[in-house]
Every structure is written in structure tokens, then in C-alpha cells.
Amino acid sequence: MAKIKAIKAYIASAPQDENTAQLLAYIADIEKDIKGKKYGLVFEEHREAIDEILEQNTPVLTEEKDLFIDNGGQMNFLIEGDNLAALQLLEKTHKGKIDLIYIDPPYNTGNKDFIYDDRFIDNSDNFRHSKWLSFMKKRLSIAKKLLSDDGVIFISIDDNEQAQLKTLCDSVFNEDNFITVFHWEKTQHFGRQKINFYSNCEYVLCYANKLVSTKIKELLVEKINFSLTDAPLYNASNNLKDLIFPCNSIKFNIEDGYYETTESSDYVLLKPVNVKNGTNENELHLQFRSRWAQNTIDEEYRKGTTFWIKSKNFAIRTIYNASKSATVAPKSIIFSNLKNPFVAINRFGEKVGVNENASMELNNIVKTDAFSYPKPTSLISYLISLYYDYHINNFKTDFTVLDFFAGSGTTGHAVMKLNAEDGGKRKFILCTNNENNICRDVTYERIKRVIERDKYEASLKYFKVDFVPISDKLYYEYADELLKHTRELVELENGITFNGNAEIAIVLTEKELDEFAANMPDKCKTIYLGHDVLPSVEQESLFKARGIAVNIIPDYYYRELEG
């Protein structure tokens, strides 16, 4: 504030005109902002090289058609290029359409993991944290726009920026939309020894898009299978309950016979029961302190649960059928190795934790030393598997997952693995730069190889971010160039490919429309038509007679450039 006062005094002493008055007004606004902000994250925002490029150019997509993987299943996308430019393109095609985002951004450790304007940021940079926060804010602000109303975002981070990231996300996503910080025990045995502590934990911040305004109850739910075959129904802390068990619902480990009384003070046999062939021939009436009410007993029996009595004190136990499961809220600690046999496992029969060596996992697919600490597929699969559709009270398995710090491609691998396990139809969009050919030689190669190795039903299109100069030009001067890249945006938005696909077609000009109508493929079912291309009455009749659906390509792809 002292410096601001000095600047005001200097301006006040200068000859007064409209400029000095305007400067004083600006300074007054700055003073107001400084005094008005009582709490929050304050950092110096920085411009990146990509900001300069985007001011002079508009980003477009071009396809590397030789890298197209056509293996049925869901159509997925890998975008090579600066992720800020890629996010701007996704804002055109996927605004409000992404249900789940997972990112593993650079941790800004100061040890050559964060590149800003083609230079590694180290501990000696006085603007180290503000550059990272500025970098993240631009990308997270667009990410929020991409999320659906029910969407969630997971962000991996470590101690270096965890506190700052939490405050930044509270600002971008609104702190009322904060769900939790998952603590991921990444290892029990091979953590990093540091001064005064042993580092074996990282964090995953989780935010919803509209948790409060839409009155959402559940977005993250874990489905668990029980590891025990049976469990007691008795619980001393519960009230006494009179319960009825249907005929033949109980297996006995006592002699067949007619039982009128019990030998236990904890269980009272209210009516005689006849045990025949090791089961109850008539209904069993018991009184005890049960952890279940009668309606739960009835529901479990309908699900295939049976009951077991192994002695004459009639202490009853439940025996779950093979598919017995339940849903619970996920715990905020994700363990690397669960040894407790009484702990539930996840819905794929795996322990809820990560104990594989992720570097070894990656190198078994693609030999690379480009990633020091890649994430394991089991961690990301677990996070994605938690996504729950509260509208239908069931897990959601048909949605789009976005990762715009895709790196080694673990998120894409995890999505395909999860689909293969539960029959889901999840799709992924990955964005990463191609520094040292990472996107081409690692990310793409990994996806390609696991599709072949594990026989995943999944396809992939490889796009590159390119730029069309727009500075000092009128829209009509570069509109034709933009038209050449509309095809890729249509494919991205609709999860389709026009490559060798006789069932769909794209028409962007009147000339193309005439050629298409004259040589229409027999198998064509859908045509994507430019918004300013108008079919004639004869052409419309032809489309209708052939049963061809006409989808109008939106004009919002480049609308803001038209002026």
C-alpha cells in the first residue's frame, strides 16, 4: 500500500489531464480490490507462449489418418498439442458434456517436472508457485465449463502444491462443490526418504461441478463384495427383535428333531421348530438382538442369502450367495495393500488399493524412461469406477472421461480395462504434448498395444492441434481454411469416424451436396450437413425416401470469429 500511495502522490504532482485522472481511477480500483479481498489465493498471473499464439491464431485439429485404430467398440480420441489449445477446441465440442475428468498435472517439485515456456522451473525461480497456479487456473477454468451438471473432476497432486491447489479449486469450482481429498498410500515399502519423514502418500482432490445447486445426494459410490462367507446376525447393542425365517431358509449343523426350547440366554425360540434333513421344515421364530430388521431378513432371502445354525443355542449366522454385494461411500484413504481379511474388496474382486509397480507396468507395454512416477491403472480404474448415477440409483458405465495431462496414457488404458471387466461403454479423450515424441511413441503406442494384447473392443483417432492465422484478417479471408478442419470437430463431438464409413457422410459446401446426392452410397444412413448448406426440395425428398437422417453441423465452432 505504501508503494501505491507513492505512485498516487507522484501522479498528483504532475500536470493534470484526462490520462492522469484515468490513472488515478485505476489505482483507486486496485486499492479497493486489495482492501476488499479478505481471504483467498493471491498470485501473480503470468502469460505463456501459448497465450501469444492463441491471440494471433485459432486452433484447429488435423487427423493423422495412418494412426487410426479401427477395432470396433467405443470411438476414443488422442489429441497431440498444447492442452490449453486442445481445451479451447473441446469447449466448442464438449461444453457441459464431460462427466468425469482425471488429471495428473506436473507437481512443481522444482526438480525438472514443470516446463513453463519451454524452460524447466526450478527452486530458484521466485515466481515458481505463481507460474504454476497461473498455468493451472487457465486450464481448470475451461475444465469446469466442460463438466456436465453431474460431472466430477479428480486431480492428483503431492505436498508441493496440494494446499495451493485446494484453494485454487475452491475458487474455480466453488468450495461448496468440494467432495474430498483422497489420500493415496502409493507404497508401503518403497517411498522416498526425506528429512524428518518418509514420503509414501500422494493426494487426489475431488470436486463436483454442481453439487449444491442440483441437490445431488450421491456422485461417488463404491460397490463391494464381502470377503467372508458368513457373519453373525446377533449384535448386543441392538434392541430385542422377534424375527421369522421362512421354511427351508436355514441350514442346521445339529441333529434332526423337534426343538421347543433353547439353551441360550441370548436367543429365545418363540415357537417349536422341526429340523429335518438339516433344514427347518416349518418357519423359525426367534427373539434376539439382531442387527437386521424383518424387512431386511425378507429382502436378503429373496436375494439368495441363507442362514446357518451350528449349535443348539440357535445363534444364527448369514451365508451370502456368491454375488452378495453392497454399496458404501468410498473411504478418503486409498491403501496400497490391504491385509485385513475382514475388509471389503471392490466390485471387481480386487482389494481397494494399489500395490503394483506402475513403472514396471508401463515398461512391460512400452519401453520408456520418460516418466519417473506414472500412475498405475488400478488407481485410475478405481476412481472412475466410483462414478454413480443418482438419477437411477446405479453405477454409470456409459460416459466420457477426459484427461488433458495424459502423459503415458494410463487413463485411456484404465477406461478400456474397466469396460472389459464390467461391459461398460465409457469413452476417453486424452490430450498431451509431444515433447520428445511422447504422444506418438508412448501414449499412442501404449493404447495401440494394449488394444492388441488384451483384445479390447475400442477404436482410436489421433488428432494434432494446428493453428490458422487470424491476426489482421477478416473472417472471410480464412473461413475456407477453417472449413477444412470442421470434419475433425464433428467426429470429436459425436464420437464417430468418417474414415471408410459408408453409413455416414459429411457435406460442407453446395458443390459437395450436389455430388453426394448424385452418387449417394446405398449404405448411407446419416449425413452431417453444414449449417449454411441448404438442400433443394428434390434433395430433401431423396433423403427422406432413402431414410437418411440429416444432422445439421452447429455454427458455434467458429462463431466468435465471425465478428
Side-chain angles (χ1 to χ4, degrees), residues 491-509:
E491 290 179 320
L492 180 61
E493 179 169 9
N494 296 281
I496 58 174
T497 179
F498 293 110
N499 301 5
N501 193 339
E503 294 188 353
I504 59 175
I506 182 169
V507 171
L508 299 174
T509 66

Side-chain angles (χ1 to χ4, degrees), residues 53-69:
I53 293 172
L54 290 171
E55 282 187 357
Q56 306 296 322
N57 304 269
T58 188
V60 295
L61 293 173
T62 60
E63 182 182 1
E64 294 289 310
K65 292 186 178 180
D66 292 344
L67 302 182
F68 176 51
I69 299 172

Side-chain angles (χ1 to χ4, degrees), residues 252 254-260 272-282 314:
F252 289 86
I254 59 177
E255 295 180 2
D256 286 358
Y258 190 75
Y259 296 89
E260 297 188 58
V273 61
N274 186 34
V275 177
K276 187 175 180 180
N277 297 323
T279 187
N280 54 318
E281 193 175 43
N282 58 321
F314 281 77

Side-chain angles (χ1 to χ4, degrees), residues 230-419:
D230 68 276
L233 264 181
Y234 180 82
N235 189 313
S237 63
N238 289 338
N239 295 326
L240 282 172
K241 297 173 185 175
D242 296 347
L243 299 173
I244 298 175
F245 297 85
C247 301
N248 302 314
S249 64
I250 300 173
K251 298 184 184 301
F252 289 86
N253 196 33
I254 59 177
E255 295 180 2
D256 286 358
Y258 190 75
Y259 296 89
E260 297 188 58
T261 59
T262 66
E263 300 176 4
S264 169
S265 59
D266 292 329
Y267 289 81
V268 177
L269 184 58
L270 297 176
K271 290 184 180 181
V273 61
N274 186 34
V275 177
K276 187 175 180 180
N277 297 323
T279 187
N280 54 318
E281 193 175 43
N282 58 321
E283 290 182 338
L284 176 69
H285 292 237
L286 279 178
Q287 182 185 76
F288 63 100
R289 299 183 185 277
S290 172
R291 59 189 176 91
W292 286 355
Q294 184 67 55
N295 62 338
T296 307
I297 297 286
D298 297 338
E299 177 63 23
E300 287 297 320
Y301 181 63
R302 284 192 293 271
K303 290 179 180 179
T305 298
T306 56
F307 305 94
W308 182 35
I309 291 176
K310 60 181 181 179
S311 66
K312 292 181 181 179
N313 70 0
F314 281 77
I316 194 165
R317 303 177 72 86
T318 56
I319 302 178
Y320 301 112
N321 68 7
S323 62
K324 172 63 184 176
S325 63
T327 55
V328 297
K331 294 179 174 62
S332 61
I333 298 179
I334 303 174
F335 290 103
S336 67
N337 186 15
L338 300 178
K339 296 181 179 180
N340 186 345
F342 298 97
V343 175
I345 58 179
N346 74 13
R347 62 193 180 115
F348 306 113
E350 301 169 340
K351 291 179 179 178
V352 180
V354 178
N355 56 14
E356 78 247 40
N357 185 316
S359 294
M360 185 182 298
E361 178 189 36
L362 174 60
N363 276 281
N364 284 338
I365 305 168
V366 181
K367 301 295 182 184
T368 178
D369 58 0
F371 299 93
S372 301
Y373 302 103
K375 294 296 182 291
T377 55
S378 60
L379 171 66
I380 302 177
S381 291
Y382 171 66
L383 295 173
I384 295 172
S385 75
L386 300 178
Y387 191 49
Y388 193 77
D389 191 338
Y390 69 99
H391 298 288
I392 61 174
N393 293 321
N394 206 344
F395 288 94
K396 196 166 186 177
T397 60
D398 185 357
F399 58 92
T400 300
V401 178
L402 169 65
D403 182 350
F404 51 90
F405 286 98
S408 66
T410 306
T411 298
H413 187 175
V415 168
M416 293 187 295
K417 181 174 182 287
L418 207 52
N419 283 343

